Coordinates of all heavy atoms in Angstrom, one line a residue:
M1 N 0.8 -1.2 0.0 CA 0.0 0.0 0.0 C 0.9 1.3 0.0 O 1.9 1.2 0.6 CB -0.8 0.0 1.3 CG -2.0 -1.1 1.3 SD -3.3 -0.8 0.0 CE -4.2 0.5 0.9
K2 N 0.4 2.2 -0.8 CA 1.1 3.5 -0.7 C 0.2 4.5 -0.1 O -1.1 4.5 -0.1 CB 1.4 4.0 -2.2 CG 2.2 3.1 -2.9 CD 3.6 3.0 -2.4 CE 4.5 2.1 -3.3 NZ 5.9 2.0 -2.8
R3 N 0.8 5.5 0.7 CA 0.1 6.5 1.4 C 0.5 7.8 1.1 O 1.8 8.2 1.2 CB 0.2 6.1 3.0 CG -0.6 7.0 3.8 CD -0.5 6.6 5.3 NE -1.2 7.5 6.2 CZ -2.5 7.5 6.4 NH1 -3.2 6.6 5.9 NH2 -3.1 8.3 7.2
F4 N -0.5 8.9 1.0 CA 0.0 10.2 0.9 C -0.9 11.0 2.0 O -2.1 10.8 2.0 CB -0.4 10.6 -0.5 CG -0.3 12.2 -0.7 CD1 1.0 12.8 -0.7 CD2 -1.5 13.0 -0.7 CE1 1.0 14.2 -0.7 CE2 -1.3 14.3 -0.9 CZ 0.0 15.0 -0.9
E5 N -0.1 11.9 2.7 CA -0.9 12.6 3.7 C -0.7 14.1 3.2 O 0.4 14.6 3.0 CB -0.2 12.5 5.0 CG -0.3 11.1 5.6 CD 0.1 11.0 7.0 OE1 0.6 11.9 7.5 OE2 0.1 9.9 7.5
C6 N -1.8 14.7 2.9 CA -1.9 16.0 2.3 C -1.1 17.0 3.2 O -0.6 18.0 2.8 CB -3.3 16.4 2.1 SG -3.4 18.0 1.0
G7 N -1.2 16.9 4.6 CA -0.5 17.8 5.5 C 1.0 17.9 5.2 O 1.6 18.9 5.7
T8 N 1.7 16.9 4.6 CA 3.0 17.1 4.2 C 3.2 18.1 3.1 O 4.3 18.6 3.0 CB 3.6 15.7 3.8 OG1 2.9 15.2 2.6 CG2 3.4 14.7 4.9
L9 N 2.1 18.4 2.4 CA 2.2 19.3 1.2 C 1.4 20.6 1.6 O 2.0 21.7 1.2 CB 1.6 18.8 0.0 CG 1.9 19.5 -1.3 CD1 3.3 19.6 -1.6 CD2 1.2 18.6 -2.5
V10 N 0.3 20.5 2.2 CA -0.4 21.7 2.6 C -0.5 21.6 4.2 O -1.5 21.0 4.7 CB -1.9 21.6 2.0 CG1 -2.7 22.8 2.3 CG2 -1.7 21.4 0.4
P11 N 0.3 22.3 4.9 CA 0.2 22.3 6.3 C -1.2 22.6 6.9 O -1.9 23.5 6.5 CB 1.2 23.5 6.7 CG 2.1 23.6 5.5 CD 1.2 23.4 4.3
G12 N -1.5 21.8 7.8 CA -2.9 21.9 8.5 C -4.0 21.1 7.9 O -5.0 21.0 8.4
C13 N -3.7 20.4 6.6 CA -4.9 19.6 6.0 C -4.7 18.2 6.6 O -3.5 17.6 6.6 CB -4.7 19.5 4.6 SG -5.9 18.6 3.8
N14 N -5.7 17.7 7.1 CA -5.7 16.3 7.7 C -6.1 15.3 6.6 O -6.2 14.0 7.1 CB -6.7 16.3 8.9 CG -6.2 17.1 9.9 OD1 -5.0 17.1 10.3 ND2 -7.2 17.8 10.7
W15 N -6.4 15.5 5.5 CA -6.8 14.5 4.3 C -5.6 13.7 4.1 O -4.4 14.1 3.9 CB -7.3 15.3 3.2 CG -7.8 14.4 2.1 CD1 -9.1 13.9 2.0 CD2 -7.1 13.8 0.9 NE1 -9.1 13.2 0.9 CE2 -7.9 13.1 0.3 CE3 -5.7 13.9 0.5 CZ2 -7.6 12.4 -0.8 CZ3 -5.4 13.4 -0.6 CH2 -6.2 12.4 -1.3
S16 N -6.0 12.4 3.9 CA -4.8 11.4 3.5 C -5.6 10.4 2.7 O -6.8 10.2 2.7 CB -4.2 10.7 4.6 OG -5.1 9.9 5.4
T17 N -4.7 9.6 1.9 CA -5.3 8.6 1.0 C -4.4 7.4 1.0 O -3.1 7.6 1.0 CB -5.6 9.0 -0.4 OG1 -6.4 8.1 -1.0 CG2 -4.5 9.5 -1.2
E18 N -4.9 6.3 0.7 CA -4.1 5.0 0.5 C -4.6 4.3 -0.6 O -5.8 4.2 -1.0 CB -4.2 4.1 1.7 CG -3.4 4.6 3.0 CD -3.4 3.6 4.1 OE1 -3.9 2.5 3.9 OE2 -2.9 4.0 5.2
A19 N -3.6 3.7 -1.4 CA -4.0 2.9 -2.5 C -2.8 1.9 -2.8 O -1.8 2.1 -2.4 CB -4.3 3.7 -3.8
E20 N -3.2 0.9 -3.6 CA -2.2 -0.2 -4.0 C -1.1 0.5 -4.9 O 0.1 0.2 -4.8 CB -2.8 -1.4 -4.6 CG -3.6 -2.2 -3.8 CD -2.8 -2.9 -2.7 OE1 -1.7 -3.1 -2.9 OE2 -3.4 -3.2 -1.7
D21 N -1.5 1.2 -5.8 CA -0.5 1.8 -6.8 C -0.2 3.2 -6.5 O -1.1 4.1 -6.2 CB -1.3 1.7 -8.2 CG -1.6 0.3 -8.6 OD1 -0.8 -0.7 -8.2 OD2 -2.5 0.0 -9.4
E22 N 1.1 3.6 -6.7 CA 1.5 4.8 -6.5 C 0.6 5.8 -7.6 O 0.3 7.0 -7.2 CB 2.9 5.1 -6.9 CG 3.4 6.5 -6.7 CD 4.9 6.6 -7.2 OE1 5.1 6.6 -8.4 OE2 5.6 6.8 -6.3
A23 N 0.3 5.3 -8.8 CA -0.4 6.3 -9.8 C -1.7 6.5 -9.2 O -2.2 7.6 -9.5 CB -0.5 5.5 -11.0
E24 N -2.4 5.6 -8.4 CA -3.8 5.9 -8.1 C -3.7 6.8 -6.9 O -4.6 7.7 -6.7 CB -4.3 4.5 -7.5 CG -5.7 4.6 -6.8 CD -6.8 5.2 -7.8 OE1 -6.5 5.2 -9.1 OE2 -7.9 5.4 -7.4
V25 N -2.7 6.8 -6.0 CA -2.5 7.7 -4.9 C -2.3 9.1 -5.5 O -2.9 10.1 -5.0 CB -1.3 7.4 -4.1 CG1 -1.1 8.5 -3.1 CG2 -1.5 6.0 -3.3
V26 N -1.5 9.2 -6.5 CA -1.3 10.5 -7.2 C -2.5 11.0 -7.8 O -2.9 12.2 -7.6 CB -0.2 10.3 -8.3 CG1 -0.2 11.7 -9.1 CG2 1.2 10.1 -7.7
R27 N -3.3 10.2 -8.5 CA -4.6 10.6 -9.0 C -5.6 11.2 -8.1 O -6.1 12.2 -8.2 CB -5.2 9.3 -9.8 CG -6.4 9.8 -10.7 CD -7.2 8.6 -11.2 NE -7.9 7.8 -10.2 CZ -9.0 8.3 -9.6 NH1 -9.6 9.5 -10.0 NH2 -9.6 7.7 -8.7
R28 N -5.6 10.4 -6.9 CA -6.6 10.9 -5.8 C -6.1 12.2 -5.2 O -6.9 13.1 -4.9 CB -6.7 9.8 -4.8 CG -7.4 8.5 -5.2 CD -7.6 7.6 -4.1 NE -7.9 6.3 -4.5 CZ -8.1 5.2 -3.7 NH1 -8.0 5.4 -2.3 NH2 -8.4 4.1 -4.1
A29 N -4.7 12.3 -5.1 CA -4.2 13.4 -4.4 C -4.4 14.7 -5.3 O -4.8 15.7 -4.7 CB -2.6 13.3 -4.1
V30 N -4.3 14.5 -6.7 CA -4.4 15.6 -7.5 C -5.9 16.1 -7.4 O -6.3 17.2 -7.4 CB -4.0 15.3 -8.9 CG1 -4.5 16.3 -10.0 CG2 -2.5 15.1 -9.1
E31 N -6.8 15.1 -7.5 CA -8.2 15.4 -7.4 C -8.5 16.2 -6.1 O -9.3 17.1 -6.2 CB -8.9 14.1 -7.4 CG -10.5 14.2 -7.7 CD -11.1 12.9 -7.9 OE1 -11.2 12.4 -9.0 OE2 -11.6 12.3 -6.9
H32 N -8.0 15.8 -5.1 CA -8.3 16.4 -3.8 C -7.7 17.8 -3.7 O -8.3 18.8 -3.3 CB -7.5 15.6 -2.7 CG -7.4 16.5 -1.3 ND1 -8.4 16.7 -0.4 CD2 -6.4 17.1 -0.8 CE1 -8.1 17.4 0.5 NE2 -6.8 17.7 0.4
L33 N -6.4 18.0 -4.2 CA -5.8 19.3 -4.3 C -6.6 20.3 -5.2 O -6.7 21.5 -4.8 CB -4.4 19.2 -4.7 CG -3.4 18.6 -3.8 CD1 -2.2 18.0 -4.5 CD2 -3.0 19.6 -2.8
K34 N -7.2 19.8 -6.2 CA -8.0 20.7 -7.1 C -9.2 21.1 -6.4 O -9.6 22.2 -6.5 CB -8.3 19.8 -8.5 CG -7.3 19.9 -9.4 CD -7.8 19.6 -10.7 CE -8.0 18.0 -10.9 NZ -8.3 17.7 -12.4
M35 N -9.8 20.1 -5.6 CA -11.2 20.4 -5.1 C -11.1 21.2 -3.8 O -11.8 22.1 -3.5 CB -11.9 19.1 -4.9 CG -12.4 18.5 -6.1 SD -13.3 16.9 -5.9 CE -14.7 17.5 -5.0
A36 N -10.1 20.8 -2.9 CA -10.0 21.3 -1.6 C -9.1 22.5 -1.5 O -9.3 23.3 -0.6 CB -9.5 20.2 -0.7
H37 N -8.1 22.6 -2.4 CA -7.2 23.6 -2.3 C -7.1 24.6 -3.5 O -6.2 25.4 -3.6 CB -5.8 23.1 -2.0 CG -5.8 22.2 -0.7 ND1 -6.2 22.7 0.5 CD2 -5.4 20.9 -0.6 CE1 -6.0 21.7 1.3 NE2 -5.6 20.6 0.8
E38 N -8.1 24.3 -4.4 CA -8.2 25.2 -5.6 C -6.8 25.2 -6.4 O -6.3 26.3 -6.7 CB -8.7 26.6 -5.1 CG -10.1 26.4 -4.6 CD -10.5 27.9 -4.2 OE1 -9.8 28.8 -4.2 OE2 -11.8 27.9 -3.9
E39 N -6.2 24.2 -6.5 CA -5.0 24.1 -7.4 C -5.5 24.0 -8.9 O -5.7 22.9 -9.5 CB -4.2 22.8 -7.2 CG -3.4 22.9 -5.8 CD -2.2 23.8 -5.9 OE1 -1.8 24.0 -7.2 OE2 -1.5 24.1 -4.9
H40 N -5.7 25.2 -9.4 CA -6.4 25.2 -10.8 C -5.5 24.7 -11.8 O -5.9 24.0 -12.7 CB -6.6 26.7 -11.1 CG -7.6 27.4 -10.1 ND1 -8.9 27.1 -10.0 CD2 -7.4 28.4 -9.3 CE1 -9.5 27.8 -9.1 NE2 -8.6 28.6 -8.6
A41 N -4.2 25.1 -11.8 CA -3.3 24.5 -12.7 C -2.5 23.5 -12.2 O -1.7 23.7 -11.2 CB -2.3 25.7 -13.2
I42 N -2.6 22.2 -12.7 CA -1.8 21.1 -12.2 C -0.5 21.1 -12.8 O -0.5 20.7 -14.0 CB -2.6 19.8 -12.3 CG1 -3.9 19.9 -11.5 CG2 -1.7 18.6 -11.9 CD1 -3.8 20.1 -10.0
R43 N 0.5 21.6 -12.2 CA 1.8 21.6 -12.8 C 2.5 20.3 -12.8 O 2.2 19.5 -11.8 CB 2.6 22.6 -12.1 CG 2.0 24.1 -11.9 CD 2.5 24.7 -10.7 NE 1.8 24.2 -9.6 CZ 2.2 24.4 -8.3 NH1 3.2 25.2 -8.1 NH2 1.5 23.9 -7.3
P44 N 3.3 19.9 -13.7 CA 4.3 18.8 -13.6 C 4.9 18.7 -12.3 O 5.1 17.6 -11.7 CB 5.2 18.9 -14.7 CG 4.5 19.9 -15.7 CD 3.6 20.8 -14.9
N45 N 5.3 19.9 -11.8 CA 6.0 19.9 -10.5 C 5.1 19.4 -9.4 O 5.6 18.8 -8.4 CB 6.3 21.5 -10.2 CG 7.2 21.6 -9.1 OD1 8.1 20.7 -8.8 ND2 7.1 22.6 -8.3
L46 N 3.8 19.7 -9.4 CA 3.0 19.2 -8.3 C 3.0 17.8 -8.2 O 3.0 17.2 -7.1 CB 1.5 19.7 -8.6 CG 0.5 19.3 -7.5 CD1 0.9 19.9 -6.1 CD2 -0.9 19.8 -7.8
V47 N 2.9 16.9 -9.4 CA 3.0 15.5 -9.3 C 4.3 15.0 -8.7 O 4.3 14.1 -7.9 CB 2.8 15.0 -10.8 CG1 3.0 13.5 -10.8 CG2 1.4 15.3 -11.3
S48 N 5.3 15.7 -9.1 CA 6.6 15.4 -8.4 C 6.6 15.6 -6.9 O 7.1 14.7 -6.2 CB 7.7 16.2 -9.1 OG 7.8 16.0 -10.5
E49 N 6.0 16.7 -6.6 CA 5.9 17.0 -5.1 C 5.1 15.9 -4.3 O 5.4 15.5 -3.1 CB 5.4 18.4 -4.8 CG 6.4 19.4 -5.4 CD 6.2 20.8 -4.8 OE1 5.6 20.9 -3.6 OE2 6.5 21.8 -5.4
I50 N 4.1 15.5 -5.0 CA 3.2 14.4 -4.4 C 3.9 13.2 -4.3 O 4.1 12.5 -3.3 CB 1.9 14.3 -5.2 CG1 1.0 15.4 -5.1 CG2 1.2 13.0 -4.8 CD1 -0.2 15.5 -6.1
K51 N 4.5 12.8 -5.4 CA 5.4 11.5 -5.4 C 6.5 11.5 -4.4 O 6.7 10.5 -3.7 CB 5.9 11.2 -6.8 CG 4.9 10.8 -7.8 CD 5.7 10.6 -9.2 CE 4.6 9.9 -10.1 NZ 5.3 9.6 -11.4
A52 N 7.1 12.7 -4.1 CA 8.2 12.7 -3.3 C 7.7 12.5 -1.8 O 8.5 12.2 -0.8 CB 9.0 14.1 -3.3
R53 N 6.3 12.6 -1.6 CA 5.8 12.5 -0.3 C 5.0 11.2 0.0 O 4.5 11.1 1.1 CB 5.0 13.8 0.0 CG 5.7 15.0 0.2 CD 4.8 16.3 0.2 NE 5.6 17.5 0.4 CZ 6.4 18.1 -0.4 NH1 6.6 17.6 -1.6 NH2 7.0 19.2 0.0
I54 N 5.0 10.4 -1.0 CA 4.3 9.1 -0.8 C 5.0 8.2 0.0 O 6.3 8.0 -0.3 CB 3.9 8.5 -2.2 CG1 2.9 9.4 -2.9 CG2 3.5 7.0 -2.1 CD1 2.6 8.9 -4.4
R55 N 4.5 7.5 1.0 CA 5.1 6.5 1.8 C 4.6 5.2 1.7 O 3.4 5.0 1.4 CB 5.0 7.0 3.3 CG 5.6 8.5 3.6 CD 7.1 8.3 3.7 NE 7.6 9.7 3.9 CZ 8.2 10.5 3.0 NH1 8.3 10.0 1.8 NH2 8.7 11.7 3.3
D56 N 5.3 4.2 2.1 CA 4.8 2.9 2.0 C 3.9 2.7 3.3 O 4.4 3.1 4.4 CB 6.0 1.8 2.1 CG 6.6 1.7 0.8 OD1 5.9 1.6 -0.2 OD2 7.9 1.6 0.8
A57 N 2.8 2.2 3.1 CA 1.9 2.0 4.3 C 1.7 0.4 4.4 O 1.3 -0.2 3.4 CB 0.6 2.6 4.0
K58 N 2.1 -0.1 5.6 CA 2.0 -1.5 5.9 C 0.6 -1.7 6.1 O 0.0 -1.1 7.0 CB 2.8 -1.9 7.1 CG 4.2 -1.7 6.6 CD 4.8 -2.8 5.8 CE 6.4 -2.6 5.7 NZ 6.8 -2.8 4.3
A59 N -0.1 -2.8 5.5 CA -1.4 -3.2 5.8 C -1.4 -4.1 7.1 O -0.7 -5.2 7.1 CB -2.0 -3.9 4.6
N60 N -1.9 -3.6 8.1 CA -1.9 -4.4 9.5 C -3.2 -5.3 9.6 O -3.1 -6.1 10.5 CB -1.9 -3.5 10.7 CG -0.4 -2.7 10.7 OD1 0.6 -3.4 10.4 ND2 -0.4 -1.5 11.0
A61 N -4.1 -5.2 8.8 CA -5.3 -6.0 8.8 C -5.0 -7.5 8.7 O -4.1 -7.9 7.9 CB -6.3 -5.6 7.8
A62 N -5.6 -8.3 9.4 CA -5.4 -9.7 9.5 C -5.8 -10.3 8.1 O -6.8 -9.9 7.6 CB -6.1 -10.4 10.7
Ligands
LIG101 ZN1 -5.6 18.7 1.5

């Protein structure tokens, strides 16, 4: 699992997401940033910044 916490990019935001694929995490993060933070122009740089902040999330569920 891959995990992205928006607070690492936008201080104060508690939103986070997890998905199996990094690409899916990026897709959800971009969608959130557009809707919640009014990122009108999705710059190539933004995707890089999201990817730089994605962490491995261990699934602890039995
Ligand atoms: Zn956010």
Side-chain angles (χ1 to χ4, degrees):
M1 292 290 281
K2 300 293 184 182
R3 179 178 180 83
F4 171 76
E5 296 182 1
C6 190
T8 62
L9 188 60
V10 183
C13 182
N14 291 322
W15 185 87
S16 67
T17 189
E18 288 183 4
E20 290 293 337
D21 299 327
E22 182 185 72
E24 176 65 9
V25 175
V26 170
R27 191 189 69 75
R28 292 185 194 180
V30 168
E31 191 171 276
H32 165 78
L33 286 159
K34 278 197 282 191
M35 291 181 63
H37 303 302
E38 298 184 344
E39 287 280 348
H40 300 296
I42 299 301
R43 302 150 290 164
N45 190 36
L46 181 63
V47 172
S48 296
E49 292 197 30
I50 292 167
K51 285 185 175 179
R53 289 167 172 79
I54 290 176
R55 299 282 178 258
D56 285 316
K58 298 282 186 228
N60 290 324

